Amino acid sequence: MKVYDNQHIKNVVLLGSPKSGKTTLAETMLFEAGLLNRRGSVENHNTVSDFHEIEHQRENSIYATPLHTEWRGYKINIIDTPGLDDFIGEIVSSVRVADTCVLTINAQHGVEVGTEIIWNYIDQFQKPTIIAINHLDHNKANFDSTLDSLKHSYGDAVALMQYPLNPGDGFNRIIDLLKMTMYQFPEDGGKPEKLPIPEKENERAEQLHNELVEKAAINDEKLMELYFEQGNLDEDELRKGLRIGMFKHDIFPVFCLSAKQNMGSGRLMGFIDNVAPGASDIFSENTEEGESYACKPDNKLTLFIFKTMIEPYLGKISYFKVCSGEIRTGMDLVNAQTGTTERINQLFIMDGNERHPVQKLVAGDIGATVKLKDSTTNHTLNEVGHDVILAPMIFPEPRIRVAIVAESKNDEEKLSEVIKDLHEEDPTLSIEFSSELKQLILSAQGELHLSVTQWRLENVYNLKVHYENPRISYRETIQRQSTASYRHKKQSGGAGQFAEVTISIMPYTEGMAKPEGFNIRDTQEVDLPWGGKLVFYNCIVGGVIDVRFIPSILKGVMEKMEDGPITGSYCRDICVLVHDGKMHAVDSNDISFKIAGLQAFKKAFLQADPKIMEPVNKLEIMVPEELMGEVMTDLQTRRAIIQGIDTRNQYQMIQAKVPLMEITHYCSALKSITQGRASFSTSFAEYAPVPYELQKQLSAQQEMVEA
């Protein structure tokens, strides 16, 4: 396979909401370039990029799939991405390594919630972006409304390159404002006929052309001077201005498409080829320390792994971008994070599930290798003697948690190992065993994310699992001071057990003074692993309890704090004062004082006006304005406290604090309320007291468990 230099490589990522036509566009681009003899379709389950069985079943992209095509002397690497934000990790990693983003917009709907979510990452990485309005052949296509929504969202940077002459049924003509010509496509699409712009469209086309020229000229002083002198710019000058504007994120060129009918894709590829920034234009990457690292072919080799796949029969496939230098088969590279040396035995260019072997790849190119021992997503590999760590990708926090249970006890260990592999593939999916909840907790981006994970476990790894609601990690604390004593006495022949402990407990607050009225001899502050503090005071005088038994009392208190008296949850923010007791010269021992300390603490805790604290999450919801009322009404039923409402383009951003127990299945609830037109993010905020009635209910449930 031909190896291209970095002057002739373009890396493009296809982005957009579900059903905006990304996979169909990728298929058409490969067909237009002659790499395919026949176009597949999503409906027929035979596209190059959607090759996994789960993608065929759902008729949606689940994974980001690297492809490539060759067009007029250039190699164009294409990454087809999912549209659903359940798989946002695939989108983030693809945007990270792309030179140019192609944002596909469904002409029936315009800018959607999914578009906004994706745009946040385009904006974060400041990637040059082309906007492709697709589905213009659909009978409900509305080009003007779609264009208005783009301008409303992204302002004057939206630069119209083309407009359709007859959108909807029978669509086949596009007016091109850069070349000032009309493309008329045959019925089955393909290569169009170039015709003069119809006379009745001349005035509109001329006006829009002038607007495009102004947007291109404003990005460069020399072009602006030329524009003032000539009153226009030629095609090459226009391209230069557009290119500069794309780099600055000041111009987002808009193209017209029907990917399904193969109308307009060739013109889009020509623009990517001639104008869109490519590998040679990306001058630097950021390092982990925030410094700039030059990306040049003549620098030492550095590559960045942006995606990992684990195939049952092939093993680990690592997808990477060569950021500088040149990689060849047989090279030894050093993992900058782990120090491990990795031998590159094979290099591939990937087209879906097809691997094309190559002997080398140069700076700016995207490739893959197999069976790296100790390298995964976000790792940097360097030539021996070279040391740089490129900035890692930051993935969004999970939005949904479930307890995952293997239906066979024999599969529990295997399940944990398999989920670790799935996490390596998808960093937005994670698993941990919660010793507090005594459950294996799986965290993901949404219900569909969980569903696909379950499908893979059952169909790929032969593991039968089911999901359960995770328990809530409550916290227990107290609201006033109390005192209690407990005597532990046990005689069963020979040496017995005896200990008596009197303690006082009170609420702890940060910066509080030492309690008065007690003869404090020693203080221990314990930062609890689950948050909060225990302050333990030894106030024993007169030797009523030997100092050697004090640690045992503390151990008993800590044991009960790990299994709170009300719900069995962790306790926090409590001061414990041991100030009296008794011991026996023969029968007292460590275990006796541990038991006495535990029971005295429990007794005092229940007398100290105890309260249960529940985890509360921050919730940010992006919702169309017309649906905000329904969302707000639903939030009221979830004990939400609204923190604020902001406007972002045509969407409302609702910020709220909501108890974790109320948003366990919020993904599906919000989708149902808004017909899938809203999205949300969530993160832990604080612990807050539960309502009195709920505390009674939780306490009663614990009593039933203990009974």
Side-chain angles (χ1 to χ4, degrees):
M1 181 165 286
K2 182 178 177 181
V3 175
Y4 288 80
D5 63 34
N6 76 320
Q7 301 289 325
H8 294 85
I9 296 171
K10 306 273 183 166
N11 298 310
V12 173
V13 58
L14 303 183
L15 305 165
S17 292
K19 305 302 180 184
S20 59
K22 302 177 296 299
T23 299
T24 303
L25 176 58
E27 193 79 3
T28 300
M29 290 171 76
L30 268 60
F31 177 76
E32 272 289 298
L35 270 73
L36 296 179
N37 295 323
R38 181 171 174 272
R39 286 192 302 155
S41 70
V42 173
E43 296 78 14
N44 290 329
H45 308 156
N46 59 351
T47 60
V48 175
S49 59
D50 284 1
F51 62 89
H52 293 90
E53 185 181 345
I54 184 67
E55 292 176 315
H56 293 165
Q57 286 187 16
R58 294 188 173 273
E59 296 189 352
N60 262 317
S61 296
I62 303 296
Y63 305 98
T65 306
L67 316 162
H68 95 286
T69 187
E70 297 169 0
W71 184 261
R72 297 175 184 170
Y74 279 81
K75 177 186 179 185
I76 303 177
N77 290 315
I78 303 166
I79 305 178
D80 178 26
T81 63
L84 294 155
D85 62 346
D86 285 63
F87 310 107
I88 193 69
E90 302 282 332
I91 296 168
V92 172
S93 60
S94 302
V95 174
R96 170 71 166 76
V97 297
D99 305 325
T100 300
C101 300
V102 175
L103 183 63
T104 57
I105 305 292
N106 191 325
Q108 302 168 67
H109 309 304
V111 175
E112 302 174 72
V113 169
T115 315
E116 291 285 351
I117 294 167
I118 291 165
W119 186 264
N120 290 337
Y121 291 98
I122 294 174
D123 202 42
Q124 175 186 321
F125 290 111
Q126 286 290 292
K127 295 290 185 176
T129 302
I130 299 167
I131 297 172
I133 300 178
N134 193 22
H135 295 301
L136 284 166
D137 58 313
H138 196 279
N139 59 9
K140 292 184 179 178
N142 190 328
F143 177 80
D144 292 335
S145 174
T146 298
L147 185 62
D148 286 344
S149 72
L150 286 166
K151 289 181 175 178
H152 184 72
S153 296
Y154 313 124
D156 291 337
V158 173
L160 196 61
M161 304 291 296
Q162 302 175 324
Y163 68 89
L165 199 58
N166 57 337
D169 286 332
F171 165 71
N172 69 339
R173 287 178 289 172
I174 295 171
I175 305 293
D176 193 287
L177 302 171
L178 179 62
K179 293 184 174 290
M180 287 302 286
T181 190
M182 183 178 77
Y183 295 113
Q184 181 166 297
F185 295 89
E187 187 176 343
D188 57 352
K191 188 174 181 179
E193 183 181 1
K194 296 179 183 178
L195 299 171
I197 295 173
E199 187 175 340
K200 65 178 182 178
E201 293 294 324
N202 277 335
E203 184 178 347
R204 181 186 181 191
E206 195 65 40
Q207 179 188 341
L208 292 172
H209 174 79
N210 290 337
E211 289 176 10
L212 181 63
V213 171
E214 287 179 20
K215 284 179 176 166
I218 204 169
N219 288 288
D220 184 80
E221 280 187 30
K222 290 182 180 178
L223 289 177
M224 183 61 81
E225 289 173 8
L226 276 173
Y227 176 60
F228 284 140
E229 287 174 12
Q230 303 169 179
N232 206 340
L233 296 176
D234 65 28
E235 197 172 316
D236 287 337
E237 292 161 347
L238 255 175
R239 287 195 186 99
K240 181 182 177 182
L242 291 169
R243 185 186 187 85
I244 294 169
M246 289 178 70
F247 261 119
K248 293 180 177 178
H249 233 225
D250 288 337
I251 287 182
F252 308 128
V254 177
F255 284 83
C256 299
L257 291 173
S258 167
K260 188 174 183 179
Q261 300 299 326
N262 190 14
M263 296 180 183
S265 54
R267 181 70 183 95
L268 173 63
M269 291 174 73
F271 187 82
I272 291 170
D273 175 47
N274 290 325
V275 182
S280 61
D281 302 308
I282 308 303
F283 303 112
S284 65
E285 291 269 1
N286 289 328
T287 67
E288 192 176 48
E289 294 78 22
E291 298 174 355
S292 182
Y293 173 72
C295 296
K296 296 180 180 177
D298 54 356
N299 272 5
K300 296 215 173 196
L301 173 63
T302 292
L303 59 85
F304 179 76
I305 299 175
F306 69 92
K307 177 179 169 65
T308 303
M309 290 290 289
I310 299 174
E311 298 289 346
Y313 302 108
L314 182 62
K316 185 194 294 186
I317 306 173
S318 301
Y319 295 84
F320 60 83
K321 183 175 184 181
V322 184
C323 296
S324 64
E326 179 179 287
I327 185 171
R328 295 175 178 271
T329 55
M331 290 184 75
D332 288 328
L333 303 182
V334 178
N335 185 311
Q337 278 88 351
T338 66
T340 305
T341 299
E342 301 277 17
R343 169 60 63 94
I344 307 299
N345 289 314
Q346 300 175 76
L347 288 174
F348 303 104
I349 292 171
M350 302 295 291
D351 283 324
N353 63 347
E354 292 187 10
R355 304 189 303 278
H356 307 291
V358 292
Q359 293 303 306
K360 73 173 185 177
L361 293 168
V362 303
D365 212 343
I366 288 173
T369 189
V370 294
K371 299 181 180 176
L372 296 182
K373 302 190 301 287
D374 196 30
S375 300
T376 190
T377 302
N378 260 339
H379 282 184
T380 303
L381 300 185
N382 295 308
E383 188 175 336
V384 176
H386 186 45
D387 188 20
V388 64
I389 299 179
L390 298 179
M393 299 172 285
I394 307 299
F395 293 99
E397 292 294 317
R399 299 182 301 175
I400 188 170
R401 299 162 63 250
V402 293
I404 183 170
V405 180
E407 294 188 0
S408 169
K409 290 285 184 184
N410 297 331
D411 287 338
E412 288 180 354
E413 186 175 341
K414 182 182 175 183
L415 173 61
S416 295
E417 292 302 314
V418 168
I419 293 287
K420 287 176 185 175
D421 285 347
L422 296 184
H423 170 70
E424 188 173 1
E425 291 188 7
D426 180 1
T428 67
L429 184 78
S430 62
I431 193 164
E432 64 170 344
F433 179 77
S434 171
S435 56
E436 176 186 1
L437 305 179
K438 298 176 178 59
Q439 290 178 308
L440 194 61
I441 302 298
L442 181 65
S443 301
Q445 294 298 311
E447 301 277 2
L448 180 56
H449 200 189
L450 291 174
S451 177
V452 168
T453 301
Q454 185 175 18
W455 185 93
R456 290 198 67 193
L457 289 170
E458 294 183 352
N459 291 274
V460 178
Y461 295 97
N462 199 29
L463 281 170
K464 296 292 183 184
V465 299
H466 66 269
Y467 296 143
E468 297 176 355
N469 286 340
R471 302 181 185 107
I472 302 298
S473 52
Y474 294 108
R475 297 288 182 266
E476 299 180 19
T477 191
I478 56 174
Q479 300 181 83
R480 66 178 180 85
Q481 182 176 338
S482 75
T483 300
S485 297
Y486 186 84
R487 173 179 288 187
H488 174 69
K489 186 175 181 181
K490 185 177 181 182
Q491 196 72 40
S492 56
Q497 293 182 1
F498 179 85
E500 185 173 318
V501 172
T502 300
I503 67 172
S504 292
I505 64 173
M506 61 184 65
Y508 166 82
T509 55
E510 192 68 38
M512 68 182 288
K514 287 187 176 182
E516 297 180 357
F518 295 90
N519 188 356
I520 298 174
R521 298 179 59 189
D522 182 46
T523 304
Q524 293 185 56
E525 288 193 8
V526 181
D527 289 316
L528 301 168
W530 51 85
K533 272 192 177 182
L534 164 67
V535 183
F536 186 83
Y537 297 102
N538 176 10
C539 307
I540 295 296
V541 293
V544 293
I545 298 177
D546 196 297
V547 68
R548 64 193 171 96
F549 293 129
I550 299 300
S552 297
I553 298 172
L554 173 57
K555 187 180 285 187
V557 169
M558 281 294 297
E559 189 171 301
K560 195 59 195 169
M561 287 188 73
E562 292 184 23
D563 183 22
I566 311 175
T567 62
S569 304
Y570 291 140
C571 301
R572 58 177 288 169
D573 298 328
I574 299 171
C575 297
V576 176
L577 303 101
V578 182
H579 53 84
D580 202 0
K582 291 180 181 178
M583 63 179 183
H584 188 275
V586 176
D587 292 346
S588 289
N589 53 27
D590 286 329
I591 189 66
S592 301
F593 276 97
K594 175 186 168 185
I595 294 169
L598 184 153
Q599 294 297 338
F601 175 78
K602 178 180 178 181
K603 191 174 177 183
F605 190 97
L606 294 172
Q607 296 170 1
D609 194 10
K611 66 177 177 181
I612 300 172
M613 310 283 285
E614 65 179 337
V616 174
N617 276 26
K618 288 185 289 188
L619 193 64
E620 184 174 76
I621 306 164
M622 182 164 65
V623 58
E625 187 172 2
E626 64 269 22
L627 296 171
M628 192 172 71
E630 288 88 338
V631 173
M632 293 287 283
T633 300
D634 177 70
L635 286 175
Q636 289 172 7
T637 69
R638 299 176 184 273
R639 298 190 282 130
I641 298 174
I642 306 300
Q643 302 287 299
I645 301 173
D646 297 322
T647 300
R648 184 185 298 172
N649 300 321
Q650 68 268 44
Y651 293 94
Q652 298 296 308
M653 305 298 296
I654 304 171
Q655 289 91 30
K657 286 185 177 180
V658 189
L660 178 61
M661 72 175 298
E662 301 288 353
I663 54 173
T664 301
H665 295 288
Y666 192 61
C667 286
S668 53
L670 184 65
K671 187 172 289 187
S672 175
I673 293 167
T674 64
Q675 297 83 50
R677 296 178 61 201
S679 183
F680 77 98
S681 62
T682 183
S683 60
F684 174 75
E686 62 191 6
Y687 274 91
V690 303
Y692 176 70
E693 287 301 320
L694 180 56
Q695 177 156 325
K696 283 174 57 179
Q697 180 184 332
L698 293 170
S699 180
Q701 288 173 357
Q702 183 66 13
E703 288 174 4
M704 290 177 63
V705 170
E706 292 177 351

